[in-house]
Structure formats: structure tokens, C-alpha cells
Amino acid sequence: MQQPSVLIAGGGIGGLCLALTLEQIGVPFIVFESVTELRPLGVGINIQPNAVRELFDLGITAADLDDVGLPMREWALVGRNGQDIYAEPRGLDAGYHWPQYGVHRGRFHMMLYDKLVARAGADTVRLGARVTGYHNNPDGTVSATIEHADGHRSEQHGALLIGADGIHSAVRARMHPDQPPIHWGGAVMWRGTTRARPIRTGASFVGLGGSKQRMVIYPITPTDSDGFATINWIAEVAFENAGDRPTGWFKPAQVKDFIHHFAGWSFDWLDVPELLAGAEISYENPMIDRDPVTTWRDGSVALMGDAAHAMYPTGSNGASQAIMDARTLGAMMLTHGPTAQALAAYDTALCGPVSELVLRNRGDGPFGLLNIVDARCGGEFDNIDDVVPAKERATFMANYKSAAGFAIDALNSAPATIAAGAKLPT
């Protein structure tokens, strides 16, 4: 008799990576996704080397990732005056055994979906089906309430329920009914893409500006023969008295409504107003997260991804952490089976450290260096070493990479999260 399936609420990046992991290790599953059709939504995201390692171990190749993005070669912070604050190589150029990728979120998402369907079959993903609640059963299993696109409701019985249903998670709301509302700290982001010439190495992730206004710029396609690439950008402004704003996902935006914040941001190597004005698409959304909770687990139910730890994108590791969640869950199920004990071990391993990362990102994560520069010199300097010494800058970044799980020596020497060929005993 086949064991009950693991129920996955949400077919985003985290949910699909968990499904691919369970398929790999031989655990039956069903994914419930609220949308009736998956489409390649969003713009650029970064996938850090620790998460790329896990994707490779899932059988996703560099060629697959090259189809949806490109490897990053540099990470740099640049002051408002256009001068470097900090720069370092990334991925293979830094000595990692795995690259770091800048990818188009939607195309990456669809690649994961196509891989899952090819390996496990289309019937493992139920579209137009949203998990709205659950209850733990006396026998250690769980029952999930499913709301379908046609309006009817059903109940699904399973071994476990994993809430991968995002920042507005219904599973989290059921687990933590008294949680505070979504947290917005006053920063608004406008995201978009522009066909333009890439800067610096041609594969550089650049944070430019100060603590109140900044740009994040990096390519998500290779440079074509014409010398152009698709450049992903984020324009961010922190408002002190902005009042209430909706805490939803992207909404379309007009560049003319925010380009004035970056007037005069022109250098011999980059013209920010020109980059923004050439946008193919642009969206607005507030920079939001959720206060950490004390546990991601309730009996045979657990949270992962944004449902567990929605975080500011200042560290470029939200998607990466969702991938790490999925692989850690798989590893714990190999040890304990698809049981509440596996979820308890997962919760013990990740809830505390990742909750600290949420708060670290709320404090601007690696962009906190910009805050230090602003505090010490108002953001204008001739020699950055006179403002923040090189050793202090390097230590700041090393501490962040360690907290985010991609310190180079530790990652390169770490054993695989899931050993090659590992399967749950049948």
C-alpha cells in the first residue's frame, strides 16, 4: 500500500524545489497551486552558490540555468558619488565550487515546473487549488482544506502538509493566528528591465547610492552580439512619512512617476535616468517582510520559503533560502521518514538562524555598508579607506555571508545536503 502523500501548498520556487526533491528521494507528493495557469512572472532574482549547488544536485544543469540567466562575476557597492565602497568577485571567480546566477524569476520558475512535470507527471501539480486551512489528525497525519477555482471545496488527507504559499500564507495564518500584520518599513521599490549595455565586468551585481535612495543593477541575460543585455534594476526610495500602502505583490508602474528621485545620477560608466527611461517593463511594490515566529512547525505541518521567513531582498537570498529549505526538508525526511519528527528536525535546524537573517536583512543586510558610509561622511568621500577601513568592510561582508549560509570555505567543504542516489526505504 502506498504511503500517504506529502501535501505542498504553493507551486512557487520553494514548493517546486521541494516537489523535485521528494521525487528524487522517492516520497509521494501533491502540489496545490492557486493559479489556474502558471506564467513566467516577475523580473530578476539572484541565486547564491549554496542554492546553485542544491540545484545541480537535483539534476538541474548549468546549461539549464544559462537558458534563464547568467553566472555573476562580481558584487559591488558604489557610493552616491560613483566611487567604489566595496567590490569582490562572486561565484566561480571567487573560488566557490558553484556559480552564482542572476536569472529571470519567471523563466526560472517555469523551468522548474517543466522539469517536475517531465519527471513526475502533470497530475502531481493541481492548478486552481488553494490550501486554505488544515487540521492535525490523531493518527499523526494531516487533512488540508482545498478551495478550488470553480468555487467548491474539498479535503485532502496526507502524511504531512508543507506551507510554501508565500508571504500571505493561509497555512501560516492557521498556525499563527495572532501573528502581527505584514511589516513595511517605509521603503518602496520599483523593479524593471531595460535592454542596455552591461556595466563593469558585464556580469556584475551593483548596489549604488545611499541608505535612503539606491539602485540595484545586474544583467539577467548574456551580452548579445550587439553589446546589449537585459538589465534587471531595482530603484528604491525610503520614505519617512509615507502613510499606509498596500502590502500586495507587484503592480504595474510608470517610470515617469519615480524617475525624478534619481535625477542627476549620471556617471561616466552609467546613466541611471537613461537606464530607467529605457525600461521595457516596470513594477512597484513596497519592501515588506514578516516578523519572525518562534516555530515553523505545528504537528505534521511546516512552513517554508516566504511563508516561513519572508525577508527584505537586501541580501538577494530569498529564493536561495527557499531552495535550501526544500533540500533540508528532504534530508530530514530521509532520516526520519515523512513524519512530524522530520519537521521537528527541520524546524530546529533552520527556524532560529533564518529568523535572525530576516532581521539582519531588515537592517539592510549587506547594504548596511551604505548606512555606515552615510553616517560617517554623508555618503560623499574621496577615499573610502579613510571612511571605512578595508578590514572593517571585509569583516562586515564575511559576517553577512556566514549568516546567509554561503561563506566560501564552509560551503566548499560541506558535505552534500542529500547524498547522490539517496532514497527513502520502501
Side-chain angles (χ1 to χ4, degrees):
M1 182 176 178
Q2 189 181 46
Q3 60 182 306
S5 296
V6 173
L7 312 179
I8 303 173
I13 290 171
L16 294 182
C17 283
L18 176 59
L20 285 163
T21 296
L22 297 185
E23 189 278 333
Q24 182 184 54
I25 66 175
V27 175
F29 64 89
I30 306 171
V31 179
F32 296 95
E33 169 53 48
S34 61
V35 304
T36 56
E37 179 187 4
L38 290 178
R39 294 183 291 127
L41 302 176
V43 282
I45 58 172
N46 258 252
I47 307 175
Q48 303 290 359
N50 56 337
V52 173
R53 177 187 190 180
E54 301 299 336
L55 293 174
F56 285 179
D57 287 352
L58 268 174
I60 292 166
T61 66
D64 292 326
L65 293 176
D66 288 343
D67 283 341
V68 299
L70 83 164
M72 293 287 100
R73 298 184 56 199
E74 181 190 39
W75 192 92
L77 282 181
V78 181
R80 175 62 186 85
N81 58 2
Q83 296 191 42
D84 278 13
I85 292 173
Y86 181 87
E88 65 177 17
R90 278 294 173 96
L92 299 177
D93 284 9
Y96 286 97
H97 296 336
W98 306 271
Q100 175 177 329
Y101 268 84
V103 302
H104 185 285
R105 182 202 174 278
R107 294 180 62 204
F108 175 64
H109 183 209
M110 295 306 298
M111 182 268 287
L112 295 175
Y113 175 70
D114 291 342
K115 292 284 186 185
L116 180 62
V117 168
R119 295 177 186 181
D123 61 343
T124 57
V125 182
R126 311 285 172 82
L127 299 177
R130 178 174 181 261
V131 174
T132 59
Y134 69 84
H135 60 267
N136 283 295
N137 300 315
D139 64 355
T141 61
V142 65
S143 295
T145 304
I146 315 295
E147 186 176 279
H148 299 268
D150 63 7
H152 86 277
R153 293 189 176 188
S154 65
E155 190 169 82
Q156 181 75 41
H157 187 69
L160 301 173
L161 170 64
I162 309 299
D165 48 344
I167 192 169
H168 299 285
S169 169
V171 177
R172 177 173 170 136
R174 169 69 175 82
M175 186 182 296
H176 297 285
D178 298 323
Q179 66 180 331
I182 289 173
H183 171 267
W184 176 57
V188 175
M189 297 180 294
W190 294 273
R191 300 171 179 254
T193 60
T194 301
R195 289 285 299 170
R197 296 186 185 277
I199 56 178
R200 297 175 70 102
T201 68
S204 293
F205 179 107
V206 178
L208 165 66
S211 58
K212 299 301 182 183
Q213 291 172 267
R214 61 176 174 244
M215 294 288 303
V216 173
I217 303 164
Y218 57 94
I220 54 174
T221 66
T223 303
D224 289 340
S225 58
D226 60 4
F228 284 68
T230 299
I231 308 299
N232 182 80
W233 49 261
I234 304 170
E236 179 189 326
V237 176
F239 296 95
E240 293 185 2
N241 299 298
D244 293 331
R245 296 182 78 94
T247 53
W249 192 230
F250 289 141
K251 69 174 184 179
Q254 297 294 318
V255 171
K256 64 180 177 61
D257 293 333
F258 61 88
I259 193 171
H260 62 280
H261 293 295
F262 301 92
W265 287 43
S266 298
F267 314 98
D268 56 3
W269 54 277
L270 173 68
D271 188 320
V272 170
E274 181 180 63
L275 180 72
L276 297 178
E280 302 166 310
I281 54 173
S282 60
Y283 302 94
E284 175 187 338
N285 69 295
M287 185 182 286
I288 53 178
D289 66 4
R290 280 199 180 276
D291 290 344
V293 289
T294 56
T295 182
W296 299 344
R297 177 207 168 215
D298 174 21
S300 295
V301 183
L303 305 173
M304 67 170 293
D306 280 355
H309 49 68
M311 63 181 76
Y312 284 5
T314 51
S316 299
N317 50 19
S320 296
Q321 187 58 52
I323 295 167
M324 299 306 300
D325 294 351
R327 300 295 286 170
T328 303
L329 276 165
M332 297 309 181
M333 289 188 207
L334 280 171
T335 300
H336 301 282
T339 64
Q341 288 75 23
L343 302 189
Y346 157 78
D347 189 52
T348 298
L350 293 187
C351 181
V354 178
S355 294
E356 291 178 6
L357 184 61
V358 170
L359 298 179
R360 188 182 289 259
N361 278 6
R362 188 180 289 182
D364 273 344
F367 290 130
L369 270 177
L370 298 178
N371 299 353
I372 294 172
V373 173
D374 279 0
R376 294 184 185 178
C377 69
E380 299 287 339
F381 56 88
D382 294 320
N383 184 343
I384 188 59
D385 289 335
D386 295 334
V387 181
V388 186
K391 183 177 180 180
E392 182 180 354
R393 302 196 306 273
T395 299
F396 184 97
M397 285 304 306
N399 289 341
Y400 184 82
K401 285 186 283 188
S402 178
F406 59 97
I408 185 168
D409 291 338
L411 179 59
N412 282 350
S413 63
T417 304
I418 295 176
K423 292 279 187 180
L424 193 73
T426 56

